[in-house]
Structures are given as C-alpha cells and as structure tokens.
Amino acid sequence: MAAGAVRIDGNSLLLGGSVRIRFIRTLRLPESGTHPLPPGLGEFPVRRVEDHPGTVPAEWLARGGVMLPVYLREAMWLSFAGTHEPAALQVGVGKVCAVSGERWSGRLGRRPQNYLVLPRQPWLDGINSGKGTVRQFVAVPLGLGATVEGQITGEETTGGVQLQAFSPTGQALAAWRAEQEARARAAVPPPWPGAAPQNPSAAAPGGYGGAFASGMAAAPPAMAPPAPGAMPAAPVAAAGPPRRAAAMGLGAGGTMRQEVYQDDRRLSDWAEEPSGRVFVHLVTPPEWRRITGEAAPPSPVDRAAYTQAGLPWFDYYDEDGTDLAPAGALGGVKPVGDWLGDDDMPWQAPGTHQIHPLGDAPAPGKPVADGDW
C-alpha cells in the first residue's frame, strides 16, 4: 500500500485515490418495525489523529487514522457518493465485518462475501442482518456489551470503524473502462431543455443525503452556528494532556429497507493488497472538545419534528442488483435498547407522500391493459 494512500478532503476520506467516504448524521430509527431510509442531516467533521499528538491517547496514535465526534445513541450512515470507479470496500465495526458478521480479515472473501461493491453500493446504513434490510449503526460506549463487537466476539477491545479498500486488477479496470465508454457512445441523447431530470435521485430534494429543496428546513451543517436566541455555546476549554478517552463503538438500532449487493465479478478481478485502509475513532463530544479544542456539532434533530415538518424519507431500488443473504451472526445481534433502556425520543411514521423513490424505482400507478382497436 503506497504512502499517502488515505487522505482527508474536507470531511471526506479518500482511500486509494478512487473511494470517497463521508460519515452522515441522520435520524435514529425506532427499534421496532421496518422503516424507509432516513435522511442525511449533514456530515460528521473528521480530523486526523496525528494532528493532536499532545491530547489523544497513546493507543490512538499507534493505530493512526482519523476521529469524529458522536453522541450517545446517535445514528450514522456511510455515503460513497463520489466513488466513480469499481472498488471492493471492507467495513468493520470493532473489527467485526458489517457484511458477513465474521471477524475482521485483511483479505477479500466470497464464502461469505465480506465486502461491499462500489459504486453499485451507494451507501451503507447498518449491519447486514436481514433479507433486504439492515440494522442501523448507533453509537454506544464500550464496556456494556451493547456493541456489535461485544455481542459477536464476547469482548470490547477495539471499537470504532475500520475501512479497507481494494482496487480492481489492471486488466479488470481496463475492461470496465472500455465497457463504460461503449455505453456512453450508445447512450440516449440528453433530453430537450426544460425536460424533467432523468436521474431518479434528482426527483428527491437533493437526493438521499443531499441538500434539501428550497423552502424546506436546511440540514444542519457539521459546525452549525447556534440558532437566533439560543443559549451561547460554552467557551472552548484549553486542550488537556493525553489520557484514556471514553471509547465508543457501534451497536445495532432499528431496521430499514436496504440491500447489500452481491459481487458479480470474479474474486480474481480484485487486487490482493489493499489500496488504502484507515481506523476511524469515535469520540464523545466532551472528549472531542478536549482533544481538538473545537465544539462538537449540535445534538441530533428531533425525529418526530422532522416528520411533522413534511421533510423527505427515501426508498432505493436497483433492479439489476442481487441482495446478499443476511449474515447469520448479525441476525442475532440485539438492539442497543436492551442495554440502554427504552428509546423515549418521540416518533411519527412518515406518510407515503414523504417517501421519495431513488434508483430503479417502479413506475407510479397501476398498468393499463391495451386491446384490439
């Protein structure tokens, strides 16, 4: 793996030069029922561990990587928008594979598949725990046994998120690029000026996780200023000496409709060595302030108020994609509420008019049969 294989661009991680990953704030789903995709509410800020050698714990410096602030029981999802060429991406939660449920491996595997296929997989909201569904990523402290890591391995020693990308072999990438060029030459000409957009994601306000349409409440930016009339933020405390930080990991929350796609390439089409890998440390807001000197983003938005305001939720379709079978081990992971108590945040289910289809969504309405004229 080349030096500088992982870089930060704003709040995006670039792995191997072709994979772009953003961590997106979102609404936490109720732990009962199955739900549409929740919205994106801004990016988590991401900082390099090595930029804070005097305040991060020594074990973090040894692992390297990046860190981001997250509240207790806050939900997140991973966006891969901006990844335009094929890549195989492994996602670990406490060094447990979020796709297969097996312990972390530095190699790609197919029995079971232990990676995501980009760019076909546009995002990942949680662990691959059900047929056509995932369980939401929710932040919890280590030591309770509530994390996916604790429930699968019986111990909580790692925490955080682990990401590792593999590029196609040179031959496989050349074949893919030739196929894309052929498709582009055969593409239908663009629509006439003023026609409705053909990209299904454009039908929703900004697409899944994008900016909201004009007239809607804007998603809070990562470092949003306080609202008019709000209490002023407490002054930023001076950074203290290194100490053992309150470690955080990811547990399982509510269930949503989302597929994890099966790879239709040969395993030999992927490089044997990763093009980039990174350890993502999850930091509590007080520790974030102490380590970086920055205020953490505001606490997550009220989910009932979001729905009552008529703002969008989403459903995604890919008629050419094949959903992976759920990982048996992940299917048995219990929700974080079993440890932290009932979720008392108000909830209002979105109306059907608020759920925007993305991808290869079925055409609206019922088909009309034709006959002899």
Side-chain angles (χ1 to χ4, degrees), residues 31-362:
E31 293 176 356
S32 60
T34 301
H35 307 277
L37 299 175
L41 298 174
E43 301 170 349
F44 286 93
V46 179
R47 302 289 181 266
R48 301 193 310 168
V49 167
E50 64 201 84
D51 289 337
H52 303 277
T55 50
V56 297
E59 59 266 31
W60 290 22
L61 287 172
R63 284 174 170 165
V66 300
M67 57 186 170
L68 62 85
V70 62
Y71 288 83
L72 173 66
R73 256 179 145 162
E74 184 171 6
M76 71 166 62
W77 54 273
L78 278 58
S79 168
F80 311 126
T83 302
H84 300 301
E85 292 196 325
L89 180 68
Q90 293 182 307
V91 179
V93 286
K95 296 189 75 172
V96 171
C97 178
V99 177
S100 70
E102 298 188 339
R103 294 200 183 212
W104 183 261
S105 167
R107 299 285 183 180
L108 299 181
R110 289 289 271 272
R111 297 185 181 180
Q113 182 177 313
N114 64 354
Y115 58 94
L116 304 173
V117 183
L118 308 186
R120 159 149 278 165
Q121 191 79 41
W123 46 70
L124 184 69
D125 286 67
I127 59 173
N128 178 32
S129 58
K131 185 173 177 55
T133 62
V134 300
R135 297 269 299 286
Q136 193 173 37
F137 292 134
V138 176
V140 288
L142 302 188
L144 301 177
T147 62
V148 175
E149 175 189 3
Q151 295 187 57
I152 297 294
T153 70
E155 56 187 14
E156 292 180 318
T157 59
T158 305
V161 178
Q162 298 75 44
L163 302 168
Q164 183 163 262
F166 291 79
S167 300
T169 63
Q171 182 177 359
L173 182 58
W176 179 84
R177 287 174 175 170
E179 180 183 351
Q180 298 307 301
E181 291 174 3
R183 287 184 178 181
R185 287 194 297 269
V188 177
W192 61 90
Q198 297 301 307
N199 180 359
S201 65
Y208 181 47
F212 290 97
S214 175
M216 292 183 177
M223 302 300 291
M231 291 292 290
V236 175
R243 68 185 189 194
R244 187 170 184 83
M248 300 279 281
L250 292 179
T255 299
M256 73 187 76
R257 295 186 290 274
Q258 184 176 113
E259 295 181 330
V260 177
Y261 296 114
Q262 180 176 308
D263 190 4
D264 57 8
R265 293 181 176 84
R266 300 170 300 179
L267 191 59
S268 59
D269 283 345
W270 299 109
E272 293 187 1
E273 296 298 324
S275 56
R277 69 171 200 160
V278 64
F279 193 109
V280 182
H281 304 265
L282 305 181
V283 188
T284 64
E287 285 296 297
W288 175 264
R289 178 185 288 267
R290 185 190 66 81
I291 291 170
T292 67
E294 302 176 28
S299 58
V301 67
D302 180 279
R303 62 193 183 195
Y306 177 93
T307 301
Q308 289 166 3
L311 297 175
W313 294 69
F314 302 91
D315 266 333
Y316 182 78
Y317 304 84
D318 184 344
E319 62 182 13
D320 296 325
T322 302
D323 184 36
L324 273 180
L330 296 177
V333 171
K334 296 178 181 179
V336 299
D338 285 15
W339 282 264
L340 301 180
D342 293 337
D343 184 353
D344 57 3
M345 181 181 283
W347 163 249
Q348 177 176 321
T352 54
H353 65 284
Q354 291 177 254
I355 303 175
H356 295 260
L358 303 175
D360 300 325

